DNA sequence: ATATCTCGGATAATAAATATCCGGACTTAC
DNA sequence: GTAAGTCCGGATATTTATTATCCGAGATAT
């Protein structure tokens, strides 16, 4: 069980874009450069974020990606689900219906006890991620990132916007 | 993000073994037959459960696997971690230390905000799984499995034990 | 109008994780 | 003592995830 690398990238990208001036955008190549990750694969995840209405893309010269809505209305869960998908980590294979004790499907209560436990764990996991917004992250970054890093980041963004 | 199939199998196996008479054991082949899953692969997961001290193996004729401790002292989390491993689904790649804003490692607080969110979600997930024991599952099964299935299961076990 | 820049999607190659199989070591019952 | 039966660990195959490359459609600044 492992989350895709894209999840980390996605959260970072969205957080960075929260610092972007309104009405500007950053190109996928720049975003990849900033984070030091493979551009092609990041682009794929950016498309997913775009489809999920978390980012919006603007084409042509001076185009790129920017946030589609205010950081306070986007949760970490939104980003995770856009990239990783929404189906639960545990998928029942109905193995109880294969063995010697098998019965017709309608005799089984759904969902079974095991599935209930797994689902409930999945639910609290998602709830926990859903309780934090991107706005929360940016304020945390402002609080505990190294100051010099913030300055360098701001400088880089000025440069990237020409 | 997807849990290994072995997790479902493992939970089922441990639950079934809770019904096994003291001082007997079920062979991995029988367990695979009962659940209708590939024997060789199930065997691998059983080894993991054995290493985790959840099952204990007895070799030679009349050997096989049985529970290593009472069902009430084994949580679903124990089984999941034995099979799936204990490391969190989100592993930080330290991408913030690759970009233009990069600083020497000691300037960064650990863990960062994003990692904290992910860790905390992982923690509640595990806590949720850790709150349910195998004993809880067996009583749930007794409560809502189809009666005919229980009878057939008991019959099968009698036969399997010769 | 047009030349240029960007995303969007499809395709292919590579790497990694997962699922499967097999032969050897060990234990037990007789 | 011995032979049958079982687990154990490593080798193999299959699937999935990641990375890289390409071209077309649409948008925009000039
Ligand atoms: S008992 Fe539950 S977890 Fe197991 S196969 Fe049936 S529905 Fe799935
Ligand atoms: S900011 Fe946090 S999640 Fe991102 S790379 Fe650094 S430690 Fe990992």
């Amino acid at each position: 069980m492992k989350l895709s690398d894209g999840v980390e990238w996605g959260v970072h990208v969205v957080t960075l874009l929260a610092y972007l001036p309104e009405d500007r955008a950053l190109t996928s190549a720049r975003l990849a450069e900033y984070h030091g990750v493979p551009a092609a694969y990041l682009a794929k995840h950016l498309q997913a974020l775009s489809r999920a209405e978390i980012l919006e893309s603007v084409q042509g010269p001076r185009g790129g990606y920017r946030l589609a809505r205010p950081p306070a209305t986007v949760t970490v869960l939104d980003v995770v689900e856009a990239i990783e998908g929404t189906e639960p980590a545990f998928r029942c294979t109905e193995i109880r219906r294969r063995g010697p004790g098998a019965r017709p499907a309608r005799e089984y209560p759904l969902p079974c006890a095991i599935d209930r436990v797994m689902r409930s764990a999945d639910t609290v996991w998602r709830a926990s991620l859903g309780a934090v917004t991107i706005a929360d992250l940016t304020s945390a970054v402002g609080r505990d990132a190294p100051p010099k890093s913030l300055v360098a980041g701001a400088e880089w963004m000025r440069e990237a916007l020409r």
Side-chain angles (χ1 to χ4, degrees), chain A residues 101-149:
Chain A
R103 307 296 310 163
R106 69 176 181 293
E107 289 188 23
Y108 290 96
L110 30 169
C112 83
I114 295 175
D115 204 29
R116 275 201 303 272
V117 174
M118 293 300 188
R119 271 175 205 269
S120 126
D122 198 87
T123 300
V124 299
W125 181 73
R126 292 186 140 81
S128 176
L129 292 179
V132 180
T133 70
I134 300 303
D136 296 332
L137 286 184
T138 59
S139 60
V141 166
R143 207 176 318 115
D144 58 26
K148 289 180 183 171
S149 170

Side-chain angles (χ1 to χ4, degrees), chain A residues 4 14-15 24 26 29 45 49 55 74 77 91 95-97 109 111 113 117-119 129 140 145 158:
Chain A
S4 160
V14 174
T15 305
R24 295 302 306 271
L26 279 179
H45 293 306
L49 289 169
L55 301 186
V74 178
L77 177 64
R91 299 98 186 250
I95 70 180
R96 68 179 163 181
R97 287 169 43 190
V117 174
M118 293 300 188
R119 271 175 205 269
L129 292 179
R158 250 192 309 281

Side-chain angles (χ1 to χ4, degrees), chain A residues 32-85:
Chain A
E33 166 200 332
Y34 182 90
H35 294 105
V37 302
Y41 195 31
L42 176 62
K44 187 188 208 83
H45 293 306
L46 291 176
Q47 288 177 30
L49 289 169
S50 175
R51 271 192 299 270
E53 318 256 311
I54 291 169
L55 301 186
E56 95 186 339
S57 69
V58 10
Q59 296 207 330
R62 301 222 158 183
Y65 290 97
R66 67 184 166 210
L67 294 188
R69 42 199 168 105
T73 69
V74 178
T75 69
V76 175
L77 177 64
D78 293 333
V79 176
V80 170
E81 289 193 333
I83 291 172
E84 193 65 39

Side-chain angles (χ1 to χ4, degrees), chain A residues 8 11-12 141:
Chain A
E8 185 177 7
V11 178
H12 275 260
V141 166

